[in-house]
């Protein structure tokens, strides 16, 4: 028994073809939307590539761009088929191509679904990428005179101001690195010497943060040096002064920003996938209804359309049997080649008559 068997007359076939033609062109615009989302995400990731450890995060935008291009190509081609199906004479030239095309559409829809899932599941990979990238970027914050790194201070400062964050996981991350360049340290000062000597690595570490960590909503002037020294400031307790510095780390802020963006894009791609599935099912019904016309010279005669010629169980069983036949055929060929090799390897016996 065929799956989703539907009877068609000429009027229904025409309506189906016209509806599919319209849906395919909507799908072309959906493909342009997916392409645009991928391009936008790629640009957003490029903006902050200096604080990302690797290029794995670009897999999602690259996949969206590719799916957008393929969607435009597939649906544009399908729109042409649906338009020509209004005339049985024009449709005849597409008949040999429809089965391979529908198979390609099936695999294309699997890819779209996979890309939608990736949009939701990339959070873990993005988290590790940002954590390592921000850690490295903070180390180079002081290298304003080093070629190739002189822009890092500005990048980190703008990042902390824009996303209202401080450090990698929090403002205390700045206490563990020397973010002040040696160029701006007075090495004749006893305080500077003592701080450098007290550190095993000879770094100048302070309980201070860059100015970009300051919260402009704070009612008092920003305290960015001796942050944890309550006695150095009047009426101050760093554990309760929530408005003084941004408390959220930049890794968390960026992760939330990109994750919410990719989740929204994933939801849009899922909607596009559902639409593409509907188009593929409709195209399959149109294909089978046009092929099952009993008398091609009488376009007004009735026909039947279906998704699968047999039930889903029978179709899967038939597919497994075909795979087994292919496997056995390959095994027989391999055995035959082995036997020929053995026969060719035999050395004929030579008998000497004296």
């Amino acid at each position: 028994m065929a799956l989703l068997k539907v009877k068609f007359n000429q009027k229904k076939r025409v309506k189906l073809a016209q509806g599919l033609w319209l849906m395919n062109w909507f799908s072309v615009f959906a493909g342009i939307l997916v392409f645009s989302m991928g391009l936008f995400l790629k640009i957003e990731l490029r903006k902050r590539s200096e604080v990302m450890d690797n290029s794995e995060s670009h897999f999602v935008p690259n996949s969206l761009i590719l799916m957008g291009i393929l969607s435009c190509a597939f649906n544009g081609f399908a729109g042409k088929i649906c338009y020509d199906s209004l005339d049985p004479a024009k449709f005849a030239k597409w008949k040999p191509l429809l089965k391979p095309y529908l198979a390609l559409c099936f695999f294309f829809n699997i890819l779209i679904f996979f890309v939608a899932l990736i949009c939701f599941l990339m959070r873990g990979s993005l988290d590790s990428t940002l954590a390592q990238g921000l850690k490295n970027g903070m180390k180079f914050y002081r290298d304003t005179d080093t070629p190739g790194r002189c822009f890092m201070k500005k990048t980190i400062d703008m990042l902390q101001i824009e996303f209202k964050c401080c450090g990698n996981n929090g403002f205390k991350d700045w206490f563990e690195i020397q973010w002040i360049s040696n160029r701006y340290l007075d090495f004749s000062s006893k305080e500077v010497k003592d701080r450098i000597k007290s550190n095993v690595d000879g770094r100048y570490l302070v309980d201070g943060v860059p100015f970009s960590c300051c919260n402009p909503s704070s009612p008092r002037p920003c305290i960015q040096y001796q942050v944890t020294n309550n006695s150095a400031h009047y009426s101050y307790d760093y554990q309760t002064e929530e408005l003084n510095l941004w408390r959220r780390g930049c890794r968390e802020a960026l992760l939330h920003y990109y994750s919410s963006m990719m989740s929204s894009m994933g939801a849009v791609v899922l909607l596009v996938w559902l639409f593409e599935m509907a188009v593929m099912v409709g195209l399959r019904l149109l294909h089978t209804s046009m092929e099952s016309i009993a008398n091609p010279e009488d376009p007004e005669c009735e026909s039947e359309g279906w998704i699968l010629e047999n039930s889903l169980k029978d179709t899967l069983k038939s597919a497994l049997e075909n795979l087994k036949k292919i496997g056995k055929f390959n095994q027989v060929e391999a055995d035959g080649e082995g036997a020929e090799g053995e026969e060719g390897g035999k050395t004929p016996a030579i008998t000497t008559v004296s």
Side-chain angles (χ1 to χ4, degrees):
M1 184 180 174
L3 180 66
L4 198 63
K5 199 172 187 179
V6 183
K7 285 190 176 182
F8 288 91
N9 54 29
Q10 187 190 19
K11 188 177 180 180
K12 283 185 177 180
R13 285 194 296 269
V14 169
K15 283 186 177 180
L16 178 61
Q18 289 174 338
L20 284 173
W21 178 83
L22 190 62
M23 288 175 71
N24 274 295
W25 285 110
F26 275 126
S27 294
V28 170
F29 290 118
I32 294 171
L33 175 63
V34 172
F35 175 84
S36 303
M37 288 192 306
L39 198 61
F40 174 75
L41 181 57
K42 195 170 184 69
I43 292 169
E44 285 296 302
L45 289 170
R46 288 269 184 195
K47 282 181 184 177
R48 298 168 188 94
S49 58
E50 295 89 358
V51 294
M52 292 187 178
D53 186 44
N54 53 46
S55 58
E56 286 181 11
S57 53
H58 288 274
F59 177 75
V60 173
N62 290 342
S63 300
L64 290 172
I65 289 169
L66 178 62
M67 288 301 105
I69 293 170
L70 289 177
S71 179
C72 291
F74 272 92
N75 289 292
F77 182 70
K80 174 63 176 172
I81 293 173
C82 294
Y83 182 78
D84 286 349
S85 66
L86 296 171
D87 184 356
K90 288 183 179 180
F91 183 75
K93 65 181 180 181
W94 298 114
K95 280 187 179 182
L97 298 173
L98 270 173
K99 278 189 178 180
Y101 174 74
L102 284 168
L104 285 174
C105 283
F106 178 75
F107 287 110
F108 171 66
N109 284 325
I110 291 175
L111 285 175
I112 289 182
F113 184 73
F114 175 73
V115 170
L117 286 181
I118 290 296
C119 288
F120 294 108
L121 299 175
M122 278 296 288
R123 182 183 175 89
S125 175
L126 189 61
D127 189 7
S128 58
T129 296
L130 286 169
Q132 191 59 41
L134 283 165
K135 186 178 179 181
N136 293 334
M138 288 169 65
K139 286 179 182 177
F140 302 142
Y141 182 88
R142 64 174 182 166
D143 297 339
T144 51
D145 298 324
T146 306
R149 296 178 187 170
C150 54
F151 60 87
M152 190 55 74
K153 179 185 179 299
K154 181 181 178 182
T155 300
I156 296 290
D157 283 334
M158 293 302 294
L159 179 69
Q160 293 187 147
I161 292 169
E162 182 181 353
F163 286 91
K164 299 180 179 179
C165 59
C166 184
N168 191 344
N169 298 306
F171 67 88
K172 288 187 179 180
D173 291 335
W174 288 107
F175 302 173
E176 300 171 5
I177 62 170
Q178 181 181 338
W179 54 273
I180 301 173
S181 174
N182 288 338
R183 180 182 179 182
Y184 304 107
L185 294 176
D186 181 10
F187 286 94
S188 63
S189 169
K190 184 178 181 299
E191 182 189 350
V192 173
K193 287 179 181 179
D194 290 343
R195 280 192 178 274
I196 292 174
K197 286 178 182 178
S198 65
N199 188 270
V200 177
D201 299 327
R203 294 177 297 170
Y204 181 75
L205 302 181
V206 292
D207 57 341
V209 296
F211 78 97
S212 51
C213 284
C214 293
N215 183 352
S217 300
S218 175
R220 68 183 300 160
C222 181
I223 296 172
Q224 63 180 107
Y225 294 106
Q226 296 186 341
V227 174
T228 56
N229 187 0
N230 293 334
S231 61
H233 313 282
Y234 177 73
S235 184
Y236 174 74
D237 183 357
Y238 82 94
Q239 292 181 336
T240 59
E241 290 281 344
E242 294 184 1
L243 289 177
N244 183 51
L245 302 175
W246 301 120
R247 295 281 171 164
R248 186 169 64 161
C250 290
R251 179 185 59 82
E252 182 189 345
L254 283 172
L255 186 62
H256 175 73
Y257 174 71
Y258 285 119
S259 295
S260 60
M261 187 187 296
M262 285 195 286
S263 296
S264 301
M265 290 180 178
V268 172
V269 176
L270 272 179
L271 289 175
V272 172
W273 172 73
L274 290 171
F275 199 73
E276 291 284 356
M277 287 293 291
V279 170
M280 186 180 72
V281 169
L283 194 60
R284 174 62 176 167
L285 287 172
L286 180 64
H287 167 223
T288 50
S289 66
M290 294 295 288
E291 276 198 335
S292 62
I293 293 176
N295 183 12
E297 294 180 0
D298 182 15
E300 295 186 4
C301 68
E302 290 190 350
S303 63
E304 291 182 340
W306 56 82
I307 303 300
L308 296 175
E309 195 170 356
N310 300 311
S311 64
L312 184 60
K313 184 179 177 182
D314 292 338
T315 303
L316 290 173
K317 189 177 178 182
S318 175
L320 287 172
E321 287 176 358
N322 290 332
L323 287 173
K324 286 178 182 178
K325 285 179 183 178
I326 292 169
K328 286 179 181 179
F329 179 72
N330 290 335
Q331 189 176 358
V332 168
E333 280 192 342
D335 291 343
E337 288 174 3
E340 286 177 8
E342 286 177 6
E343 287 176 5
K346 288 178 181 178
T347 306
I350 301 172
T351 306
T352 305
V353 180
S354 55

